[in-house]
Amino acid sequence: MSKVLIIGGGAAGMMAGVFAARNHHEVHILEKNEKLGKKVFITGKGRCNVANACDTEELFLAVMSNPKFLYSGFYSFGPQDVMNFFEEAGVPLKVERGNRVFPQSDHSSDIIRALERELKKAGAKIHLHTAVKEIVKESAADSETENKSESNSGNNSTDVATAKLKNKAEKADGKEKEKITGVILEDGTFMEGDAVIVATGGFSYQSTGSTGDGYRFAKELGLKVTDISPSLVPLKTKEDYIPKLQGLSLKNTGLTIKNGKKVLYEDFGEMMFTHFGVTGPMILSASAHIGAKLAKAPNGEMSAYLDLKPALTKEQLDARILREFEAGQNKQFKNVIGVLFPSSLTPVMLELGGIPADKKIHDISREERQHFIDLIKAFPFTITGMGEFKEAIITKGGVSVKEINPGTMESKKISGLYFAGEVLDLDAVTGGYNLQIAWSTAYLAAQAIQ
Ligand SMILES: Cc1cc2nc3c(=O)[nH]c(=O)nc-3n(C[C@H](O)[C@H](O)[C@H](O)COP(=O)(O)OP(=O)(O)OC[C@H]3O[C@@H](n4cnc5c(N)ncnc54)[C@H](O)[C@@H]3O)c2cc1C
């Protein structure tokens, strides 16, 4: 039995805690917030898209960074395992459009409560208001020094910590693997442990507690951390007609993003206009694909187009419009096209359509009609920027997966040091995949601890 210290009581920390405790380890979850799972609570707009009920093979296509690293994780604890886990823990689930899995209750709190119940049932100890300041390791040289210092100092736990810290730099012969000995809490207390799982999350929505501490711990321990950037973010746009559409949500829309003349990304789904640009599931996923390419694009801009009627070809759309026109030959253009769009979109379509709003239908030329159809099939806007960390669903980058054993989540350099969840250089598009990464990596870490 090992003493396992888990830093962070978010998605990964709670799941790791359940499995480590079920394996009869002494588990301590150290969470700096006043409660567990603050970020999980806001997932899926409070409904928690807990997984994606796709085939395990398909999961890899949704992962943006280092999908191959997740092979063991996804095959050891995949979507079906996650669903079984929560159903067995008393949370009935449902599958919605795009295989998105939610609790039937539509309450993320049910997911958190189930994890808390399982943690308590398995005997894990939960320490709230407990922030970890530092992770302590010792090398072979330290253990010799430690023996001396412990016998000299009367075994005071803080003195031991100081001794260990002091000796951190003294490596044995450079070949011996260093070992974790515990953590130092914010108040200076040293907490001894045989294994430490870092599940501190990323750097986005910092009010939920994910303030990037795990990156600092990793760097201090000599591990490589890749550059981080916000991902799954809203996009900023240039045109002044976009803010006029603020609040308008479109369910079935096509999206094409071009970098110069090259089509960079195409998708279909749900989006929303805001006072500064566009957001919604389809846009967030697009942001993960655009990523750093936007800054390098000509003028730092990309052109984008919405297909407002993706179910119709241009010919079918023309036939549809002609039917409306025939029924209202003597009406003004503005009074006929309203049936085609949500009311807030109509004024903008009139503004961009090139046909005077009061023009009589029978006076509209074929060219004018074709131009209007082109607008419906390719409603244009310019992407000028990405959202910031405070509004990012996920952090791209993190502890380099090259540092980590993909079958155990243990550091290759330091034994007893494990990482799970968003702190790692792993991220996926929306749809329940990011929580799947947290569950799978947490499971592997918990199962690997001897
Ligand atoms: C608005 C929003 C909606 C989302 N919706 C979904 C969704 O529906 N489906 C999906 O799959 N993903 C979703 N995500 C992403 C998902 O929430 C994260 O990927 C996931 O929570 C990561 O889990 P984690 O355990 O790694 O980190 P977190 O859940 O962020 O947990 C990290 C925990 O560590 C604690 N901590 C940090 N540093 C310390 C320290 N030094 N000492 C002690 N404790 C510390 C924090 O307080 C926090 O509780 C959403 C994200 C956001 C922001």
Side-chain angles (χ1 to χ4, degrees), residues 156-230:
N156 175 307
S157 63
T158 312
D159 288 349
V160 174
T162 316
K164 283 171 184 168
L165 277 173
K166 212 170 71 189
N167 289 312
K168 260 203 300 190
E170 295 174 31
K171 284 204 181 162
D173 56 3
K175 285 183 196 143
E176 188 104 14
K177 206 174 169 186
E178 293 170 311
K179 195 185 171 334
I180 278 311
T181 58
V183 300
I184 298 177
L185 305 181
E186 203 60 58
D187 65 5
T189 317
F190 173 66
M191 206 169 168
E192 202 162 19
D194 305 303
V196 171
I197 302 178
V198 182
T200 46
F203 193 60
S204 65
Y205 273 81
Q206 297 188 8
S207 55
T208 63
S210 43
T211 49
D213 296 12
Y215 308 137
R216 178 171 57 78
F217 298 150
K219 280 181 194 159
E220 284 169 359
L221 293 167
L223 271 59
K224 188 171 177 285
V225 178
T226 64
D227 289 346
I228 58 164
S229 58

Side-chain angles (χ1 to χ4, degrees), residues 7-13 30-33 35-40 42-45 48-51 102 130-133 199-202 204-205 208-214 216-217 392-394 420-423 431-436 438:
I7 314 178
L30 313 173
E31 168 55 57
K32 66 179 170 186
N33 287 331
K35 57 183 172 198
L36 297 178
K38 257 190 156 177
K39 186 172 275 178
V40 178
I42 59 166
T43 55
K45 295 192 177 130
C48 188
N49 178 191
V50 70
F102 292 90
T130 306
V132 171
K133 192 166 71 178
T200 46
S204 65
Y205 273 81
T208 63
S210 43
T211 49
D213 296 12
R216 178 171 57 78
F217 298 150
I393 301 290
I394 199 92
E422 201 178 319
V423 68
Y433 306 105
N434 285 298
L435 279 172
Q436 179 67 54

